[in-house]
Amino acid sequence: MHDQVFNFNYCTPTKVLFGKDSIKGLPAEMAPFGKRVLLVYGGGSIKRSGLYDEVKRLLQDFEIFELPGVEPNPRITSVREGGRICREQHIDMVLAVGGGSVLDCSKVICDAPFYDGDPWDLVLDSSKITKALPLFTVLTLAATGSEYDPAAVISNLETNEKIGVLSPHNYPKVSVLDPTYTLTVSKRQTAAGSADIMSHIFEQYFVDGSCMVSEGLSESILRTVIKFAKIAYEDGNNYTARANLMWASSLACNGICQVGSEPGAWVCHAIEHELSAYYDITHGEGLALLTPVIMRYTLNDKTVKRYAYFAHRVFDLPLNDDLYVTARAGIEALEAFFASIGLPKTLRDVGITSKDKFDAMAEHACKCFPLHQAFVPLSPAQVREILEQSF
Ligand code: NZQ
Ligand code: ZN
């Protein structure tokens, strides 16, 4: 919370086609890049919704190859398979149709043909990503922001690792954001996606030095999600609610809300990735149950003002003379909001009934993310305590 604006470089090169029927613009965007397309999608939602047929119809002048079955928490095995198809079939570009998992998997598939070793090396070391096939996306779930960012998160079941990789080569060329395609998203995924959008903001907003522009953007996105997640949860067919969530998801994770401020350490994501790596839970649900615990654990004289102003500006709670009162009320309001859209509260609610991986998870979280530089710096022992308190 200061008037300063830190130096930054910023570029999001992705072109966004937003709104009903915006997919009609896709063939013209893809045409300059060739004819041979790898179509990547998930477990079947796009077939049930009719989107698969629509894409095939629109792209009848292209030669389409397919990689179906990309899993939620996408596996490195799917990346390897996609990379193999791209090489063998001399694919010109990749079209990802689905949620964040399909998009993330497709990003590393695009990188794989330009690297001679195992694509897992690319996830572990982004400097090995030197070139990528052009990526086009059609988003079907508002959550991750993958449609508008350079990140991909890939899971390796053999090593119990879920790792995020960022590369400027991984921005999609064009993303089609038609909220109509999210009308079929279940209540559960709607809630989880909304928690994910909010968490992306929290990770950048709960920092020492945030400039006024960042704060305003962040608070506006949080208010938007709180308003429209509830509506979309209760009425999945509400286009306006879906449209607001979709645009919020894209802006929450592409850096625009953070530039000019101090970077965050992404504490909640660090811990959640460990939960998913070991227990394959839904990303947004893990974030939702961890967030209030982390906020309470880190509430101190340094953070109280930020948490209190969050409560005041986002939940319209009155600013008490004792900022701790307001901060605690804000955490309770957030918890109540999450509960109102059916999100879980504890690790046991998402099926994690043992503490035996806590030490390994805490160590690994601190290795993958700079948690020692967080708003409240955290050691592995403290991350373990957060896991205990989330149990
Ligand atoms: O596989 P299908 O059949 O498509 O079903 C999916 C899946 O079961 C379903 N779904 C998607 N769109 C639907 C739909 N069901 C009905 N109608 C639709 N329109 O929803 C389920 C979950 O899909 P998934 O893609 O896994 O969800 P999400 O978009 O939340 O992605 C989660 C993944 O993204 C990573 C997460 O860690 C997780 O692996 N993240 C990626 C980030 C990034 N690239 O910047 C940042 C995030 O923090 C996050 O870590
Ligand atoms: Zn996330």
Side-chain angles (χ1 to χ4, degrees):
M1 303 170 96
H2 58 56
D3 293 337
Q4 202 180 333
V5 180
F6 292 102
N7 292 6
F8 61 85
N9 296 330
Y10 181 76
C11 173
T12 297
T14 303
K15 181 168 180 178
V16 169
L17 308 182
F18 191 97
K20 234 173 229 172
D21 295 330
S22 53
I23 200 169
K24 291 190 175 138
L26 194 57
E29 298 287 348
M30 291 169 66
F33 294 91
K35 285 264 176 247
R36 297 167 77 82
V37 178
L38 178 64
L39 170 62
V40 181
Y41 54 97
S45 71
I46 69 162
K47 289 206 167 158
R48 290 189 290 279
S49 69
L51 177 55
Y52 173 86
D53 291 334
E54 190 178 354
V55 167
K56 291 291 282 273
R57 228 180 2 258
L58 266 171
L59 299 187
Q60 52 196 338
D61 294 337
F62 294 79
E63 204 174 335
I64 309 284
F65 300 79
E66 295 190 21
L67 177 67
V70 171
E71 318 78 3
N73 295 327
R75 318 289 195 241
I76 189 61
T77 44
S78 297
V79 175
R80 290 183 185 127
E81 177 62 5
R84 184 190 63 74
I85 300 172
C86 288
R87 275 176 197 268
E88 289 180 7
Q89 302 297 340
H90 306 289
I91 293 295
D92 295 318
M93 71 196 98
V94 173
L95 173 61
V97 184
S101 294
V102 170
L103 272 56
D104 284 6
C105 185
S106 300
K107 286 178 178 178
V108 191
I109 288 173
C110 287
D111 304 329
F114 302 100
Y115 178 70
D116 283 335
D118 181 2
W120 184 243
D121 300 344
L122 304 174
V123 178
L124 296 178
D125 179 3
S126 65
S127 72
K128 293 192 161 85
I129 301 173
T130 52
K131 205 176 167 188
L133 291 171
L135 172 65
F136 297 82
T137 84
V138 179
L139 185 67
T140 65
L141 203 171
T144 65
S146 187
E147 66 278 9
Y148 205 38
D149 78 17
V153 186
I154 305 296
S155 294
N156 186 333
L157 294 189
E158 285 166 26
T159 58
N160 284 125
E161 282 176 295
K162 175 173 174 174
I163 307 270
V165 55
L166 278 107
S167 165
H169 298 286
N170 284 354
Y171 281 103
K173 283 256 171 290
V174 176
S175 284
V176 171
L177 308 186
D178 182 342
T180 315
Y181 304 141
T182 64
L183 298 179
T184 52
V185 174
S186 65
K187 275 185 190 295
R188 183 177 167 201
Q189 290 294 341
T190 300
S194 300
D196 192 20
I197 301 170
M198 292 177 72
S199 181
H200 296 157
I201 296 294
F202 293 147
E203 304 283 25
Q204 304 166 91
Y205 176 76
F206 294 146
V207 294
D208 234 348
S210 58
C211 70
M212 211 168 154
V213 173
S214 298
E215 286 178 11
L217 286 169
S218 297
E219 287 154 6
S220 164
I221 291 173
L222 289 172
R223 294 173 72 96
T224 301
V225 176
I226 289 165
K227 174 170 180 183
F228 290 105
K230 198 79 197 291
I231 297 174
Y233 183 79
E234 270 150 24
D235 172 14
N237 279 316
N238 188 309
Y239 177 89
T240 303
R242 296 294 192 181
N244 275 279
L245 291 178
M246 193 170 233
W247 190 222
S249 101
S250 301
L251 291 182
C253 202
N254 84 333
I256 193 84
C257 295
Q258 181 263 311
V259 288
S261 298
E262 279 181 15
W266 291 69
V267 172
C268 194
H269 276 68
I271 305 176
E272 194 296 310
H273 283 186
E274 297 303 316
L275 300 177
S276 294
Y278 280 94
Y279 296 100
D280 199 20
I281 67 166
T282 297
H283 177 61
E285 294 187 340
L287 297 169
L289 71 89
L290 287 168
T291 301
V293 178
I294 294 172
M295 288 178 77
R296 279 199 185 97
Y297 189 85
T298 56
L299 178 59
N300 60 25
D301 287 353
K302 184 178 172 201
T303 59
V304 66
K305 190 168 171 198
R306 163 55 84 215
Y307 290 167
Y309 273 86
F310 155 72
H312 179 58
R313 294 179 184 160
V314 174
F315 281 111
D316 295 322
L317 296 174
L319 265 187
N320 194 290
D321 288 343
D322 180 354
L323 289 182
Y324 277 91
V325 171
T326 316
R328 287 200 188 95
I331 299 169
E332 274 163 29
L334 180 64
E335 245 171 357
F337 167 70
F338 283 159
S340 77
I341 54 172
L343 284 162
K345 268 193 84 165
T346 66
L347 291 177
R348 276 168 298 168
D349 289 346
V350 294
I352 301 177
T353 53
S354 155
K355 299 180 180 179
D356 64 349
K357 303 289 190 298
F358 281 9
D359 283 328
M361 291 195 288
E363 285 289 337
H364 199 255
C366 290
K367 231 182 250 163
C368 293
F369 287 78
L371 302 193
H372 58 288
Q373 293 168 352
F375 197 13
V376 174
L378 295 174
S379 65
Q382 290 171 309
V383 171
R384 206 209 131 96
E385 278 183 52
I386 289 171
L387 287 166
E388 288 278 352
Q389 290 177 15
S390 309
F391 194 68

